[in-house]
Amino acid sequence: IWIFHGFYAEEKLVGNLASMSTSERIKAIQKMPETMKKKREIRNKVLKEITKKSRHHRTQLPCCTQCLQGTVVSFRRFGNSLSEYFHLLQLWHKTLKIIGAEFGTSVLSYFIFLKWLLTFNIFSFLINFSFITVPQFVAAEPNNLSFTGLELFTGAGYFQQTVLYYGFYTNATISKIENGPSYNMQLAYIFTIGIYFVICFLILLFSMAKSFCRNFINPQTYSGNASKLLCTWDFNVTNEKAVTLKQKNLSTQIKEGLTEVNREVLNLTVTERVVHIVIHLVSWLTSLGTAIAACAGVYFLSINNLKLFVKGHKNDLESQAAMLVLPIVTSLLNTLIPFFYSWLGHLESFQTPGHQIYVTITRNIVLKISIVGILCYYWLNIVAASESQCWETLVGQDIYRLVLVDFIFCLLGSLFGEFLRRIIGTTVCVSLGLPEFDIGRNVLDLIYAQTLTWIGILFSPLLPGIQMISFSIVFYVKKVSLMMNCQPPRKVWRTAQMTTSFMFLLFFPSFLGVLSVIGVTVWRLKPSAECGPFRGLSSMYAAVSEWIKILENYTASKWVVWIYHNLITRELFFFILSILVLIITYLYWQIIEGRKTMTKLLHKQIIN
């Protein structure tokens, strides 16, 4: 009787759900106090019931309506199945949960940011490979250079005559069939990279807005930790490992929230305040002086390296190997100086770990962006005016070496910076203990690597693929190093706003600075006369102007010519477009804020 009653109740529930509208049915299923597996079973039964009812009415409905209903139901089932499998295929989902439970949201924010950058590079690689590299394979000539293995480190020699660099790409219109469809490599090259940067700009802008709304407009301000303690536990979790992981996550979140509530305000005397101010001033002057000295060293070293390269044989592999000195010294400075900045942060004795991390990040961003700025000046003003036959390929090789050596130093930093520190803290000097994960230094390493990749896309279209591989390896190396060598932060603190800060630093000064470099290269600099898709032109942008002149002869393309002359070449158009983007971002922010307000009211009702 009990089994029959349960079966009858479920059939009645399915019938009631089938009679509802789609939105009401989804909300009703979501509110059920059942496991996700049970909810999926009920949803599938409801869809089957709807299908049965539709079959009964097929004799009364026209043929077109029947086909439309069947198509809608099929698409709905496909969408539900796709969303389930997409959730299972989320990259490193379980790993991120374990890191958040063991080390808190501060360390977790670094790995989330790394995963986000990896998706950026996957997207960039797929676009460049599809629209630039694949067509070049059709028109590519055989490579007669020999491969020795040293090219993997120098990026020269054999790789110089491959699709890895700008100089290998043709300036001809590719066509395999006579009088058939053709592919203009010049337009494909500049439009692919241009559209990619526009998409990156929009993604960064909306990601910052979404992250700001999620993290700075915080519903926990109203509900407090009581809602976490009383309302966030999922009683459908029955697996022992999942329960333990959920407990650790919840415990860490409550500790972080209580730390903010119980933050102590230090009452310092006048003398102590003066001493603190003096220490801060000396630390800032020291950090700025170190950054200036590092930039000066990189500049003079790059000048000497260029002279050495131009005087020697340009295609000699040994001469190109000498160019490794610049990336090694640059990476050495970018690795050692941040350790010095971290030591300065400990010396200053900040009241909160967040304050110390933000100060360390600021100092590191000044150092790394200054070095990148010096290198860009060297590439655009000195290398571009040198006697090199293909200065774009030379810049691409420089960036390739910088990315590769920076990746190697990142791995060595985990070995010597964290592994040896653990050995010292557990055997030689036990009072030091295990090291903590340096969030500021590691995040700025990612931003520096991504900045180099964005700059190098124009000179080495497949560079995002190399960075994609390096970021994947860095994720696993950092995860293993974190679990084996580091301890959770001694002061537990909540860092919900940190991911937003990372995105802002990636947007400014990194991304906007890259746009300036790409703009100067495309509009101002003259391409090499003997290599690349833009050879023989006054600038890379001249390819677009030449294309517009050709379109003026075709009546069907007059609208493209009108858009170019009246919109693209007008500063007012981009000004209005920028305002529209800001308005859309603001409206998006208002929508998210409205949702957050509803969440706050709901949390209040739950607590009451």
Side-chain angles (χ1 to χ4, degrees), residues 239-350:
N239 183 271
E240 185 177 351
K241 291 184 178 179
V243 169
T244 305
L245 188 61
K246 184 74 174 177
Q247 287 175 342
K248 288 184 178 180
N249 261 310
L250 184 58
S251 174
T252 304
Q253 291 176 19
I254 293 175
K255 287 179 182 177
E256 291 172 350
L258 291 174
T259 303
E260 287 191 350
V261 174
N262 299 327
R263 183 183 299 170
E264 297 180 1
V265 179
L266 298 178
N267 296 319
L268 302 177
T269 63
V270 177
T271 306
E272 290 175 336
R273 288 181 182 178
V274 171
V275 171
H276 272 266
I277 292 173
V278 171
I279 291 175
H280 290 319
L281 287 176
V282 171
S283 298
W284 274 105
L285 291 175
T286 305
S287 62
L288 292 176
T290 307
I292 293 172
C295 292
V298 169
Y299 176 75
F300 288 112
L301 182 62
S302 61
I303 297 296
N304 292 332
N305 263 14
L306 181 63
K307 291 179 180 178
L308 178 66
F309 179 74
V310 172
K311 286 180 181 179
H313 300 287
K314 298 176 183 179
N315 293 324
D316 185 20
L317 203 56
E318 293 182 2
S319 299
Q320 300 249 358
M323 299 293 286
L324 283 172
V325 176
L326 176 62
I328 288 176
V329 172
T330 303
S331 298
L332 199 61
L333 292 173
N334 278 324
T335 302
L336 296 180
I337 294 178
F339 282 108
F340 174 67
Y341 288 167
S342 298
W343 178 77
L344 285 179
H346 290 295
L347 189 66
E348 290 174 283
S349 300
F350 290 101

Side-chain angles (χ1 to χ4, degrees), residues 56 61 89 177 194 207 285 311 358 410 424 436 460 513 542 573:
H56 290 301
L61 294 174
L89 293 175
I177 305 174
S207 297
L285 291 175
K311 286 180 181 179
Y358 282 121
C410 182
I424 294 172
E436 294 184 15
S460 179
F573 168 72

Side-chain angles (χ1 to χ4, degrees), residues 469-510:
I469 297 172
S470 67
F471 277 163
S472 302
I473 297 174
V474 165
F475 186 94
Y476 286 106
V477 170
K478 291 291 182 182
K479 186 202 77 170
V480 172
S481 177
L482 177 72
M483 296 297 181
M484 293 180 59
N485 303 322
C486 300
Q487 64 172 339
R490 293 184 180 92
K491 295 182 179 179
V492 183
W493 57 294
R494 188 178 61 84
T495 56
Q497 298 87 0
M498 186 158 283
T499 305
T500 309
S501 304
F502 296 163
M503 291 182 182
F504 177 77
L505 289 174
L506 187 67
F507 182 76
F508 178 82
S510 176

